[in-house]
Amino acid sequence: MIIEHKLVIADVKLVADFRSYILYWKRRFAEQPITDFCSVIRTNSKAPLEEQDNYFLLCDVLPEDRLLREQLQQKRLREILEQQQQERCDTSFHSMCMFCDQEFTGNRSVLLNHMAREHAFNIGLPDNIVNCYEFLAVLQGKLDNLQCLYCEKVFRDKNTLKDHMRKKQHRRINAKNKEYDKFYIINYLEFGKSWEEVQSEDDRELLDNLEEDWSDWEEHPVCAVCLFCEQQADTTEKLYLHMQKSHGFDFPKIKSEHGLNFYQQVKLVNFIRREIHHCRCYNCQEKFQSKEILISHMEETKHIAFLPARSTWDQPQYYFPTYENDTLLCTLSDSEDVITEDQSEEVPVVSEDISSLKALKQSSVLNQLLCKENKSWEKF
């Protein structure tokens, strides 16, 4: 169109349905002169007349063009939402896991949750994804071609690719790859905006409201609370020291001896919180009339220092915090991140990281926990 008809269309990538867009303007240009709709751009204006060219710019500055683009966008959004709803309710889904030989039928969420849980490969919540079959086919094609899904390098064999993605923590997709945009519903929600722009606006809004919403953050920091009493501390070092000296519970030692990863620490903390809340000894299961009597019993019998069988507390229900915004959960780290005694330093309970503030503000502690899971990729 540029070469043959001298027609330039601005922001073509923002046109939701290019074919419908072109057919509409083809009809309109047949009804009225093109200059009624387009700005005229003259090239080589100082050259002789025969060397000059007139180009016609069609853009959304024209109200009619803007309205057309918005209508096409809304039409596409309705279609994609209908498609998403159909996939969400579909019980005939059938596909095989990309990383093991297990087959899944029923709802797509079963497969996506399996890959996130068993292979630490999380492409997002099932309800945020559309055209799931095509999405999985694209990902499977890349793996079949021995291509890393994150850095997109190609490797010589599957074992090398598997080791690379595991060691480099590349068990995720490349968010910068525009090929994936069509599979996420957020990219269809706002006219002319990608998911990155929407997310950036959310972050800017948080920053703009930070002073108003968190004006007392520095002056009144949130402290982590002891697992067994009401004692609070503003650093994990102080809190762990208190629990060790006052109750005989050495959390860093227990974490090290049992090799607890982040996820297991979360479940252990929530399990202990739940048992103490119900005034029940987590070792002998005896119930008491008050928390004070319970703690005295556990300290005297040394039940406080030993964990029950792993199967007792390593259960899915303990992913959920016993108390809302349990700050201790936000300070946990994987076993390999433990700092040696010579290198130890006080870790503040309160982080000024914006994403942490946003998560705490929205009371979404569970989302933080789920995002930090780091399981081994046992099969390819």
Side-chain angles (χ1 to χ4, degrees):
M1 286 189 293
I2 296 177
I3 297 175
E4 295 295 329
H5 304 288
K6 312 297 184 183
L7 178 64
V8 179
I9 300 175
D11 296 320
V12 174
K13 64 179 182 179
L14 301 183
V15 178
D17 184 345
F18 188 71
R19 183 176 184 277
S20 297
Y21 180 85
I22 289 299
L23 290 176
Y24 175 88
W25 283 116
K26 181 179 181 180
R27 177 177 59 82
R28 292 292 283 137
F29 291 162
E31 297 171 348
Q32 294 177 232
I34 191 172
T35 51
D36 288 353
F37 308 103
C38 299
S39 301
V40 180
I41 304 174
R42 178 169 296 176
T43 62
N44 299 327
S45 58
K46 295 183 180 181
L49 188 61
E50 62 275 7
E51 295 181 12
Q52 297 181 13
D53 275 318
N54 287 337
Y55 284 82
F56 305 96
L57 175 64
L58 182 62
C59 65
D60 59 4
V61 172
L62 180 70
E64 185 176 352
D65 185 89
R66 177 70 180 181
L67 179 60
L68 173 62
R69 292 176 185 235
E70 290 178 349
Q71 289 174 343
L72 293 175
Q73 172 70 13
Q74 291 167 6
K75 179 175 179 289
R76 182 177 68 168
L77 178 58
R78 286 195 300 271
E79 292 172 349
I80 210 71
L81 288 175
E82 289 174 1
Q83 174 68 24
Q84 184 204 32
Q85 183 62 28
Q86 179 183 341
E87 293 181 18
R88 290 174 63 182
C89 301
D90 181 22
T91 58
S92 62
F93 179 86
H94 178 268
S95 185
M96 182 177 291
C97 175
M98 294 186 292
F99 307 109
C100 64
D101 55 2
Q102 191 169 348
E103 291 188 29
F104 294 88
T105 58
N107 189 276
R108 61 182 183 166
S109 62
V110 181
L111 171 59
L112 299 183
N113 291 335
H114 161 81
M115 291 193 295
R117 182 177 61 252
E118 300 299 330
H119 304 292
F121 180 75
N122 189 356
I123 57 177
L125 296 176
D127 285 349
N128 294 339
I129 294 173
V130 69
N131 297 319
C132 188
Y133 270 121
E134 183 183 352
F135 194 9
L136 294 174
V138 169
L139 297 177
Q140 184 65 61
K142 291 180 181 291
L143 291 179
D144 291 343
N145 291 326
L146 305 178
Q147 185 177 32
C148 173
L149 298 178
Y150 180 70
C151 69
E152 302 182 340
K153 293 180 180 179
V154 177
F155 294 83
R156 65 177 181 271
D157 54 54
K158 283 190 175 181
N159 286 332
T160 305
L161 172 61
K162 177 189 70 173
D163 291 342
H164 161 81
M165 293 180 69
R166 175 177 57 82
K167 292 178 181 179
K168 295 292 186 179
Q169 296 297 303
H170 284 188
R171 291 168 291 190
R172 57 190 187 276
I173 64 172
N174 181 1
K176 299 293 185 182
N177 189 334
K178 299 297 183 181
E179 181 182 8
Y180 300 129
D181 286 357
K182 61 184 292 187
F183 303 117
Y184 289 92
I185 201 72
I186 191 173
N187 291 299
Y188 299 89
L189 297 182
E190 291 200 50
F191 177 67
K193 293 181 182 178
S194 67
W195 68 269
E196 290 179 298
E197 291 171 312
V198 174
Q199 184 64 53
S200 177
E201 287 183 358
D202 290 343
D203 293 340
R204 284 199 300 271
E205 181 180 352
L206 176 64
L207 286 170
D208 292 340
N209 296 331
L210 194 59
E211 184 175 352
E212 176 184 351
D213 295 341
W214 299 89
S215 57
D216 60 347
W217 186 265
E218 291 292 340
E219 291 77 6
H220 307 284
V222 178
C223 295
V225 181
C226 173
L227 292 171
F228 308 102
C229 68
E230 304 305 318
Q231 179 69 33
Q232 299 184 19
D234 58 0
T235 70
T236 53
E237 185 184 55
K238 292 178 183 177
L239 186 65
Y240 292 158
L241 186 61
H242 158 77
M243 289 194 289
Q244 179 184 355
K245 289 188 175 181
S246 300
H247 306 294
F249 182 83
D250 192 338
F251 188 87
K253 181 180 178 182
I254 289 175
K255 180 173 71 170
S256 177
E257 289 181 347
H258 292 267
L260 304 183
N261 62 25
F262 175 83
Y263 235 30
Q264 291 165 334
Q265 294 172 60
V266 166
K267 288 185 278 191
L268 178 59
V269 168
N270 290 330
F271 165 76
I272 294 176
R273 291 258 195 239
R274 188 83 55 87
E275 296 299 288
I276 299 301
H277 176 74
H278 290 295
C279 296
R280 181 168 53 222
C281 175
Y282 52 69
N283 254 302
C284 66
Q285 293 297 299
E286 185 177 352
K287 290 201 68 173
F288 296 85
Q289 294 181 344
S290 69
K291 184 186 290 187
E292 290 74 20
I293 300 175
L294 165 66
I295 300 304
S296 296
H297 156 80
M298 296 182 71
E299 291 175 352
E300 291 172 2
T301 59
K302 306 297 183 182
H303 286 183
I304 202 169
F306 300 99
L307 299 185
R310 186 183 293 262
S311 58
T312 304
W313 54 267
D314 197 357
Q315 298 290 335
Q317 66 262 33
Y318 297 119
Y319 286 140
F320 297 87
T322 302
Y323 302 118
E324 184 178 4
N325 289 338
D326 187 347
T327 314
L328 178 58
L329 296 174
C330 301
T331 69
L332 302 176
S333 61
D334 288 322
S335 297
E336 59 267 23
D337 295 333
V338 175
I339 302 173
T340 61
E341 185 175 354
D342 293 337
Q343 297 172 320
S344 64
E345 59 181 46
E346 292 193 352
V347 181
V349 167
V350 179
S351 168
E352 294 190 18
D353 182 84
I354 294 301
S355 60
S356 299
L357 298 181
K358 186 174 183 180
L360 287 172
K361 182 180 177 184
Q362 296 175 340
S363 300
S364 57
V365 173
L366 180 60
N367 287 336
Q368 294 184 66
L369 310 183
L370 295 178
C371 289
K372 291 192 66 175
E373 181 178 9
N374 183 22
K375 291 188 177 180
S376 61
W377 185 7
E378 298 175 353
K379 297 181 180 180
F380 186 78

